[in-house]
Amino acid sequence: MSAATQTAPSRSRRSVRTQGRNRFGYLLLAPQMTGFTAVGLVAIVWVIWLSLHDVNVLAGSQDFVGLDNYARILTDPSMITVLPNTFFFVCVLSVAGTVIALLLAVLLNQKLRGIGIFRSIIFIPALVTMVAWALVWSFIVQPEGLLDALLGAVGGDGPAWLRGGWLTLVVFAVIQLTKNVGINVMILLGALQAVPEELIEAARIDGAGRVRVLRSVVIPQISPAIMMVFMLMIVGSFKVFEVVMLLTEGGPGVQSSVLAFEIYKQGFLLNDVGYASALAVLLFAVILLLTAALWQARKRVVFHEND
């Protein structure tokens, strides 16, 4: 009997076990997917339906207006400020958030006494709700707050941190980064600890320094985790809301407003549900397109990524 004939039954048994595990995995996913289909898809369709209507909440009426709400986005003067603010957060939070998390993960991936304490300190903000975190920062950056007091102690005058403009956007970005960096660090730290030591040792034997090992060995190995963190940061940056609402309410005017806050303001404060729904559809479409583009780009930047 040939070796191929002897191994055929074992391959068949492995295939049966694999199919059984796959079916069990699909069974575990079924409740979540059923809930998403029943709730998520229905909600998406309903929002698209509302975006095609002029909705009067008080009268309970819905008048079909077609694409008028979408055309209004193009002529709304506030969008000239709101959309650039939104994409400012997307660019800053995605790039800076991923780079800072990677650097911190590399620093925390050291076998040093007490390193667990520093890992805990980095992760603590992730355990706090965004509302609580924003309120803490409000005491720091408010006029005559903690930050102004520290600057005054060294003879400086604090600027108007929350009066709109680029400085307010930078403050919001810092608040978001410090809140979410802990989760990203833990994801990347787990990926770093899974890198085979044999690869690192082989690179060092070949004469590679720390920077070369990090660039040529470690980063390619953890590239799937880096891509996941980057995609999470992009999606999360479109949903910046609590910090805007609690600290400035988008003001003065709309100088510190973003698309997510405008959806809330139009729908719940101004009762313009049709226009708010059109903005929500726009936000959903942009996130979907960016996510799809990144998912296709992963084949070029993720190490050993298959189709």
Side-chain angles (χ1 to χ4, degrees):
M1 183 178 295
S2 65
T5 305
Q6 291 176 347
T7 58
S10 62
R11 285 200 299 266
S12 178
R13 287 193 294 269
R14 285 197 297 270
S15 176
V16 171
R17 287 197 297 269
T18 301
Q19 293 177 1
R21 286 196 296 267
N22 290 341
R23 284 194 292 268
F24 182 68
Y26 291 138
L27 183 63
L28 293 177
L29 288 174
Q32 182 177 0
M33 296 306 298
T34 302
F36 172 77
T37 303
V39 178
L41 291 182
V42 171
I44 292 172
V45 173
W46 181 243
V47 169
I48 295 174
W49 170 266
L50 291 176
S51 69
L52 302 175
H53 294 75
D54 180 17
V55 181
N56 189 322
V57 178
L58 298 178
S61 62
Q62 298 179 9
D63 299 323
F64 182 77
V65 295
L67 299 177
D68 288 355
N69 286 322
Y70 294 97
R72 182 179 163 188
I73 297 176
L74 300 176
T75 58
D76 189 348
S78 65
M79 291 296 111
I80 298 176
T81 303
V82 170
L83 291 179
N85 288 352
T86 302
F87 284 100
F88 168 83
F89 284 118
V90 172
C91 296
V92 171
L93 294 181
S94 60
V95 177
T98 304
V99 172
I100 292 173
L102 179 59
L103 294 176
L104 288 174
V106 171
L107 291 175
L108 294 174
N109 190 35
Q110 308 297 323
K111 297 179 181 179
L112 300 174
R113 179 179 296 180
I115 195 68
I117 298 175
F118 293 98
R119 293 174 182 174
S120 300
I121 292 173
I122 292 294
F123 189 70
I124 284 175
L127 303 177
V128 182
T129 64
M130 190 64 221
V131 173
W133 191 247
L135 290 176
V136 169
W137 273 90
S138 69
F139 291 106
I140 297 176
V141 298
Q142 69 182 353
E144 300 182 0
L146 178 60
L147 193 52
D148 285 351
L150 293 176
L151 292 175
V154 296
D157 293 327
W161 303 102
L162 301 177
R163 297 286 180 84
W166 67 269
L167 184 57
T168 301
L169 298 181
V170 171
V171 170
F172 287 171
V174 170
I175 295 173
Q176 291 286 148
L177 284 174
T178 52
K179 169 68 174 67
N180 298 320
V181 71
I183 295 176
N184 299 330
V185 168
M186 291 301 109
I187 294 174
L188 295 175
L189 185 59
L192 285 171
Q193 294 178 347
V195 176
E197 287 290 337
E198 296 81 4
L199 295 178
I200 298 176
E201 290 298 328
R204 288 174 178 170
I205 292 173
D206 290 339
R210 289 188 176 183
V211 176
R212 183 62 184 273
V213 170
L214 178 65
R215 185 183 65 186
S216 302
V217 178
V218 176
I219 289 182
Q221 290 294 318
I222 67 171
S223 55
I226 295 175
M227 174 60 76
M228 183 179 71
V229 167
F230 186 69
M231 292 181 68
L232 289 175
M233 290 300 296
I234 284 184
V235 174
S237 61
F238 276 106
K239 299 187 293 182
V240 173
F241 172 75
E242 297 94 334
V243 64
V244 176
M245 178 180 179
L246 293 173
L247 297 187
T248 64
E249 295 185 352
V254 293
Q255 289 187 31
S256 61
S257 185
V258 292
L259 194 54
F261 181 77
E262 283 299 306
I263 294 171
Y264 162 78
K265 184 173 73 174
Q266 294 291 337
F268 294 94
L269 301 182
L270 302 179
N271 292 323
D272 196 346
V273 177
Y275 185 52
S277 299
L279 292 175
V281 172
L282 172 64
L283 180 62
F284 174 76
V286 171
I287 293 175
L288 186 63
L289 290 175
L290 275 178
T291 304
L294 287 172
W295 188 248
Q296 292 299 318
R298 84 192 190 281
K299 301 173 184 177
R300 299 182 179 180
V301 299
V302 176
F303 185 66
H304 282 174
E305 179 65 30
N306 297 320
D307 295 340

Coordinates of all heavy atoms in Angstrom, one line a residue, residues 40-102:
G40 N -30.2 46.0 12.4 CA -29.3 46.9 11.7 C -29.8 47.2 10.3 O -29.9 48.4 9.9
L41 N -30.1 46.2 9.5 CA -30.5 46.4 8.1 C -31.8 47.2 8.1 O -32.0 48.0 7.2 CB -30.6 45.1 7.4 CG -29.3 44.4 7.1 CD1 -29.5 43.1 6.3 CD2 -28.3 45.3 6.3
V42 N -32.7 46.8 9.0 CA -34.0 47.5 9.0 C -33.8 49.0 9.3 O -34.4 49.9 8.7 CB -35.0 46.9 10.0 CG1 -36.2 47.7 10.2 CG2 -35.4 45.5 9.6
A43 N -32.9 49.3 10.3 CA -32.6 50.7 10.6 C -32.0 51.4 9.5 O -32.4 52.6 9.2 CB -31.7 50.7 11.8
I44 N -31.1 50.8 8.7 CA -30.5 51.4 7.6 C -31.5 51.8 6.5 O -31.5 52.9 6.0 CB -29.3 50.5 7.0 CG1 -28.2 50.4 8.0 CG2 -28.8 51.1 5.7 CD1 -27.1 49.4 7.7
V45 N -32.3 50.8 6.2 CA -33.4 51.1 5.2 C -34.3 52.2 5.6 O -34.7 53.0 4.8 CB -34.1 49.7 4.9 CG1 -35.3 50.0 4.0 CG2 -33.2 48.7 4.3
W46 N -34.6 52.2 6.9 CA -35.6 53.2 7.4 C -35.0 54.6 7.4 O -35.6 55.6 7.0 CB -36.0 52.8 8.9 CG -37.0 53.8 9.5 CD1 -36.7 54.6 10.6 CD2 -38.3 54.1 9.1 NE1 -37.9 55.3 10.9 CE2 -38.8 55.0 9.9 CE3 -39.1 53.6 8.0 CZ2 -40.1 55.6 9.8 CZ3 -40.4 54.1 7.9 CH2 -40.9 55.1 8.8
V47 N -33.7 54.7 7.7 CA -33.0 56.0 7.6 C -32.9 56.5 6.2 O -33.2 57.7 5.9 CB -31.6 55.9 8.2 CG1 -30.8 57.2 7.9 CG2 -31.7 55.7 9.7
I48 N -32.7 55.6 5.2 CA -32.7 56.0 3.8 C -34.1 56.5 3.4 O -34.2 57.4 2.7 CB -32.2 54.8 2.9 CG1 -30.7 54.5 3.2 CG2 -32.4 55.1 1.5 CD1 -30.2 53.2 2.5
W49 N -35.1 55.8 3.9 CA -36.5 56.2 3.6 C -36.7 57.6 4.1 O -37.3 58.4 3.4 CB -37.4 55.1 4.1 CG -38.9 55.5 4.1 CD1 -39.6 56.1 5.1 CD2 -39.8 55.4 3.0 NE1 -40.9 56.4 4.7 CE2 -41.0 55.9 3.4 CE3 -39.7 54.9 1.7 CZ2 -42.1 55.9 2.6 CZ3 -40.8 54.9 0.9 CH2 -42.0 55.4 1.3
L50 N -36.4 57.8 5.3 CA -36.6 59.1 5.9 C -35.8 60.2 5.2 O -36.3 61.4 5.1 CB -36.2 59.1 7.4 CG -37.0 58.3 8.4 CD1 -36.4 58.3 9.8 CD2 -38.5 58.8 8.4
S51 N -34.6 59.9 4.7 CA -33.8 60.9 4.0 C -34.5 61.4 2.7 O -34.2 62.5 2.2 CB -32.5 60.4 3.7 OG -32.5 59.4 2.7
L52 N -35.5 60.6 2.2 CA -36.2 61.0 1.0 C -37.5 61.8 1.3 O -38.3 62.0 0.3 CB -36.5 59.8 0.1 CG -35.2 58.9 -0.3 CD1 -35.7 57.7 -1.0 CD2 -34.3 59.8 -1.2
H53 N -37.7 62.1 2.5 CA -38.9 62.7 2.9 C -38.7 64.0 3.8 O -37.6 64.1 4.4 CB -39.8 61.8 3.7 CG -40.3 60.6 2.9 ND1 -39.5 59.5 2.6 CD2 -41.6 60.3 2.4 CE1 -40.2 58.7 1.9 NE2 -41.5 59.1 1.8
D54 N -39.7 64.9 3.8 CA -39.7 66.0 4.7 C -40.6 65.6 5.9 O -41.8 65.4 5.8 CB -40.3 67.2 4.0 CG -40.3 68.4 5.0 OD1 -39.6 68.4 6.0 OD2 -41.0 69.4 4.6
V55 N -39.9 65.3 7.0 CA -40.6 64.7 8.1 C -41.0 65.8 9.1 O -40.2 66.5 9.6 CB -39.7 63.6 8.8 CG1 -40.5 63.0 10.0 CG2 -39.3 62.6 7.8
N56 N -42.3 65.8 9.5 CA -42.8 66.7 10.5 C -43.1 65.8 11.7 O -44.1 65.1 11.7 CB -44.1 67.5 10.0 CG -44.5 68.5 11.0 OD1 -44.4 68.4 12.2 ND2 -44.9 69.7 10.4
V57 N -42.3 65.9 12.7 CA -42.4 65.0 13.9 C -43.7 65.4 14.7 O -44.4 64.5 15.1 CB -41.2 65.1 14.8 CG1 -41.3 64.3 16.0 CG2 -39.9 64.7 14.0
L58 N -44.0 66.6 14.8 CA -45.1 67.1 15.6 C -46.4 66.7 14.9 O -47.4 66.2 15.6 CB -45.1 68.6 15.9 CG -43.9 69.1 16.7 CD1 -43.9 70.6 16.8 CD2 -43.8 68.4 18.0
A59 N -46.5 66.8 13.6 CA -47.7 66.5 12.9 C -47.8 65.0 12.5 O -48.8 64.5 12.2 CB -47.9 67.3 11.7
G60 N -46.6 64.3 12.6 CA -46.6 62.9 12.3 C -46.7 62.7 10.8 O -47.2 61.6 10.4
S61 N -46.3 63.7 9.9 CA -46.4 63.5 8.5 C -45.1 63.3 7.8 O -44.0 63.8 8.4 CB -47.1 64.8 7.9 OG -46.3 65.9 8.2
Q62 N -45.1 62.7 6.7 CA -43.9 62.5 5.9 C -44.2 62.8 4.4 O -45.0 62.1 3.8 CB -43.4 61.0 6.0 CG -43.0 60.6 7.4 CD -42.6 59.2 7.5 OE1 -42.4 58.5 6.5 NE2 -42.4 58.7 8.7
D63 N -43.7 63.9 3.9 CA -43.9 64.3 2.5 C -42.7 63.9 1.7 O -41.5 64.3 2.0 CB -44.2 65.8 2.4 CG -45.4 66.2 3.2 OD1 -46.4 65.4 3.2 OD2 -45.4 67.3 3.9
F64 N -42.9 63.2 0.6 CA -41.8 62.8 -0.3 C -41.2 64.0 -1.0 O -41.9 64.7 -1.6 CB -42.3 61.7 -1.3 CG -41.2 61.2 -2.2 CD1 -40.3 60.3 -1.7 CD2 -41.1 61.7 -3.5 CE1 -39.3 59.7 -2.5 CE2 -40.1 61.2 -4.3 CZ -39.2 60.2 -3.8
V65 N -39.9 64.1 -0.9 CA -39.2 65.2 -1.5 C -38.0 64.7 -2.4 O -37.2 65.5 -2.9 CB -38.6 66.2 -0.4 CG1 -39.7 66.9 0.3 CG2 -37.7 65.5 0.5
G66 N -37.9 63.4 -2.5 CA -36.8 62.9 -3.4 C -35.4 63.1 -2.9 O -35.1 62.9 -1.7
L67 N -34.6 63.7 -3.7 CA -33.2 64.0 -3.3 C -33.0 65.4 -2.8 O -31.8 65.8 -2.8 CB -32.3 63.7 -4.5 CG -32.3 62.2 -5.1 CD1 -31.4 62.1 -6.3 CD2 -31.9 61.2 -4.0
D68 N -34.0 66.1 -2.5 CA -33.9 67.5 -2.0 C -33.0 67.6 -0.8 O -32.2 68.5 -0.7 CB -35.2 68.1 -1.7 CG -36.0 68.4 -3.0 OD1 -35.4 68.2 -4.1 OD2 -37.2 68.8 -2.9
N69 N -33.1 66.6 0.1 CA -32.3 66.7 1.4 C -30.8 66.5 1.0 O -30.0 67.1 1.7 CB -32.8 65.6 2.4 CG -34.1 66.0 3.0 OD1 -34.3 67.2 3.3 ND2 -34.9 65.0 3.2
Y70 N -30.5 65.7 0.0 CA -29.1 65.5 -0.4 C -28.6 66.7 -1.1 O -27.4 67.1 -0.9 CB -29.0 64.2 -1.2 CG -29.3 63.0 -0.5 CD1 -30.6 62.4 -0.6 CD2 -28.3 62.3 0.3 CE1 -30.9 61.2 0.1 CE2 -28.6 61.2 1.0 CZ -29.9 60.6 0.9 OH -30.2 59.5 1.6
A71 N -29.5 67.3 -1.9 CA -29.0 68.6 -2.6 C -28.8 69.7 -1.6 O -27.9 70.5 -1.8 CB -30.1 69.0 -3.6
R72 N -29.5 69.7 -0.5 CA -29.3 70.7 0.5 C -28.0 70.6 1.2 O -27.4 71.6 1.6 CB -30.4 70.5 1.6 CG -30.4 71.5 2.7 CD -31.6 71.3 3.6 NE -31.4 72.0 4.9 CZ -32.1 71.8 6.0 NH1 -33.2 70.9 5.9 NH2 -31.9 72.4 7.1
I73 N -27.4 69.4 1.2 CA -26.1 69.2 1.8 C -25.1 70.0 1.0 O -24.1 70.6 1.6 CB -25.7 67.7 1.8 CG1 -26.6 66.9 2.8 CG2 -24.2 67.6 2.3 CD1 -26.4 65.4 2.8
L74 N -25.2 70.0 -0.3 CA -24.3 70.7 -1.2 C -24.4 72.2 -1.0 O -23.4 72.9 -1.3 CB -24.5 70.3 -2.6 CG -24.4 68.8 -3.0 CD1 -24.8 68.6 -4.4 CD2 -23.0 68.3 -2.7
T75 N -25.5 72.7 -0.6 CA -25.7 74.2 -0.5 C -25.7 74.7 1.0 O -25.8 75.9 1.2 CB -27.0 74.6 -1.1 OG1 -28.1 73.9 -0.5 CG2 -27.0 74.3 -2.6
D76 N -25.6 73.8 1.9 CA -25.5 74.1 3.3 C -24.2 74.8 3.6 O -23.2 74.1 3.6 CB -25.8 72.9 4.2 CG -26.0 73.3 5.7 OD1 -25.7 74.4 6.0 OD2 -26.4 72.4 6.4
P77 N -24.2 76.1 4.0 CA -22.9 76.7 4.3 C -22.1 76.1 5.5 O -20.9 76.2 5.5 CB -23.3 78.2 4.6 CG -24.7 78.1 4.9 CD -25.3 77.0 4.2
S78 N -22.9 75.5 6.4 CA -22.2 75.0 7.6 C -21.3 73.8 7.2 O -20.3 73.4 7.9 CB -23.2 74.5 8.6 OG -24.0 73.5 8.2
M79 N -21.6 73.1 6.1 CA -20.9 71.9 5.6 C -19.4 72.3 5.2 O -18.5 71.5 5.2 CB -21.6 71.2 4.5 CG -22.8 70.5 4.9 SD -22.6 69.1 6.0 CE -23.3 69.8 7.5
I80 N -19.2 73.6 4.9 CA -17.9 74.1 4.5 C -16.9 73.9 5.7 O -15.7 73.7 5.5 CB -18.0 75.5 4.0 CG1 -18.9 75.6 2.7 CG2 -16.6 76.1 3.7 CD1 -19.1 77.0 2.2
T81 N -17.5 74.0 6.9 CA -16.7 73.9 8.1 C -16.8 72.5 8.7 O -15.8 71.9 9.1 CB -17.1 74.9 9.1 OG1 -17.0 76.2 8.6 CG2 -16.2 74.8 10.4
V82 N -18.0 71.9 8.7 CA -18.2 70.7 9.3 C -17.5 69.5 8.7 O -16.8 68.7 9.3 CB -19.7 70.4 9.4 CG1 -20.0 68.9 9.9 CG2 -20.4 71.3 10.3
L83 N -17.5 69.4 7.3 CA -16.8 68.3 6.6 C -15.3 68.4 6.8 O -14.7 67.3 7.1 CB -17.3 68.3 5.2 CG -18.7 67.9 4.9 CD1 -19.0 68.0 3.4 CD2 -19.0 66.6 5.5
P84 N -14.7 69.5 6.6 CA -13.2 69.6 6.9 C -12.9 69.2 8.3 O -11.8 68.5 8.5 CB -12.8 71.0 6.5 CG -13.8 71.5 5.5 CD -15.1 70.8 6.0
N85 N -13.7 69.6 9.3 CA -13.4 69.3 10.7 C -13.5 67.8 10.8 O -12.6 67.1 11.5 CB -14.4 69.9 11.6 CG -14.2 71.4 11.8 OD1 -13.2 72.0 11.3 ND2 -15.1 72.1 12.4
T86 N -14.5 67.2 10.2 CA -14.6 65.7 10.3 C -13.4 65.0 9.7 O -12.9 64.1 10.3 CB -15.9 65.3 9.6 OG1 -17.0 65.9 10.1 CG2 -16.1 63.8 9.7
F87 N -13.0 65.4 8.5 CA -11.9 64.7 7.9 C -10.5 65.0 8.6 O -9.6 64.3 8.5 CB -11.8 65.0 6.4 CG -12.9 64.3 5.6 CD1 -14.0 64.9 5.2 CD2 -12.6 63.0 5.3 CE1 -15.0 64.2 4.5 CE2 -13.6 62.2 4.6 CZ -14.8 62.9 4.2
F88 N -10.5 66.2 9.3 CA -9.3 66.5 10.1 C -9.2 65.4 11.2 O -8.1 64.9 11.4 CB -9.5 67.8 10.8 CG -8.4 68.1 11.8 CD1 -7.2 68.5 11.5 CD2 -8.8 67.9 13.2 CE1 -6.2 68.8 12.5 CE2 -7.8 68.2 14.2 CZ -6.6 68.6 13.9
F89 N -10.3 65.0 11.8 CA -10.2 64.0 12.9 C -9.9 62.6 12.2 O -9.1 61.9 12.8 CB -11.5 63.9 13.6 CG -11.7 65.0 14.6 CD1 -12.8 65.9 14.5 CD2 -10.9 65.2 15.7 CE1 -13.0 66.9 15.4 CE2 -11.1 66.2 16.6 CZ -12.1 67.0 16.5
V90 N -10.4 62.4 11.1 CA -10.1 61.1 10.4 C -8.6 61.0 10.1 O -8.0 59.9 10.4 CB -10.9 61.0 9.1 CG1 -10.5 59.7 8.3 CG2 -12.4 60.9 9.4
C91 N -8.0 62.0 9.6 CA -6.6 62.0 9.2 C -5.7 61.9 10.5 O -4.8 61.1 10.6 CB -6.2 63.2 8.4 SG -7.0 63.2 6.8
V92 N -6.0 62.8 11.4 CA -5.1 62.9 12.6 C -5.3 61.7 13.5 O -4.3 61.0 13.9 CB -5.5 64.2 13.4 CG1 -4.7 64.2 14.8 CG2 -5.1 65.4 12.6
L93 N -6.5 61.3 13.8 CA -6.7 60.2 14.7 C -6.3 58.8 14.2 O -5.7 58.0 14.9 CB -8.2 60.1 15.1 CG -8.7 61.3 16.0 CD1 -10.2 61.0 16.3 CD2 -7.9 61.5 17.2
S94 N -6.5 58.6 12.9 CA -6.1 57.3 12.3 C -4.6 57.2 12.2 O -4.0 56.2 12.6 CB -6.7 57.2 10.9 OG -6.3 58.2 10.0
V95 N -3.9 58.2 11.7 CA -2.5 58.1 11.5 C -1.8 58.2 12.9 O -1.0 57.4 13.3 CB -2.0 59.2 10.5 CG1 -0.4 59.2 10.4 CG2 -2.6 59.0 9.2
A96 N -2.0 59.3 13.6 CA -1.4 59.6 14.9 C -1.7 58.5 15.9 O -0.9 58.0 16.6 CB -1.7 60.9 15.4
G97 N -3.0 58.1 15.9 CA -3.4 57.0 16.8 C -2.7 55.7 16.6 O -2.3 55.1 17.6
T98 N -2.6 55.3 15.3 CA -1.9 54.1 15.0 C -0.4 54.2 15.3 O 0.2 53.2 15.9 CB -2.1 53.7 13.6 OG1 -3.5 53.7 13.3 CG2 -1.5 52.4 13.2
V99 N 0.3 55.3 15.0 CA 1.7 55.4 15.2 C 2.0 55.4 16.7 O 2.9 54.8 17.2 CB 2.2 56.7 14.5 CG1 3.7 56.9 14.9 CG2 2.1 56.5 13.0
I100 N 1.2 56.2 17.4 CA 1.5 56.4 18.9 C 1.2 55.0 19.6 O 2.0 54.6 20.4 CB 0.6 57.5 19.5 CG1 1.0 58.8 19.0 CG2 0.6 57.4 21.0 CD1 0.1 60.0 19.4
A101 N 0.2 54.3 19.2 CA -0.1 53.0 19.8 C 1.0 52.0 19.5 O 1.4 51.2 20.3 CB -1.5 52.5 19.3
L102 N 1.5 52.1 18.3 CA 2.6 51.1 17.9 C 3.9 51.4 18.7 O 4.5 50.5 19.2 CB 2.9 51.2 16.4 CG 4.0 50.4 15.9 CD1 3.8 48.9 16.1 CD2 4.3 50.6 14.4

